[in-house]
Amino acid sequence: MANTYKLPLKNGEIIVFTSDMNEQEIHGLPQFANQHEFFGFFKEKGIILHGILNPPLIDGDKKEY
């Protein structure tokens, strides 16, 4: 089942995405410098992202790591 996560980047941006990854896999991700590095990692690993959301649309019920 897909979950939505908030992932802070080194440049201060926050990526909000939906993925089938579990919490342990999310905790194991490297800290990405920017969006280009974030998307490049997922493309290289062949990990499917179900959706990308803009941070202003997020409410307090989402998981943050």
Side-chain angles (χ1 to χ4, degrees):
M1 183 167 115
N3 292 305
T4 301
Y5 300 99
K6 290 171 65 176
L7 191 67
L9 305 178
K10 288 181 184 176
N11 67 2
E13 294 179 333
I14 296 175
I15 293 282
V16 181
F17 64 100
T18 303
S19 174
D20 284 336
M21 297 174 73
N22 62 40
E23 291 182 26
Q24 185 177 15
E25 292 171 313
I26 296 296
H27 285 297
L29 291 174
Q31 186 176 16
F32 302 104
N34 53 42
Q35 289 185 25
H36 177 76
E37 196 174 280
F38 172 84
F39 289 112
F41 174 86
F42 282 88
K43 182 178 178 181
E44 180 182 307
K45 300 290 184 185
I47 300 170
I48 297 172
L49 298 175
H50 296 283
I52 304 295
L53 307 173
N54 292 325
L57 300 176
I58 298 305
D59 59 35
D61 293 282
K62 302 301 177 192
K63 298 175 184 173
E64 183 171 345
Y65 296 98

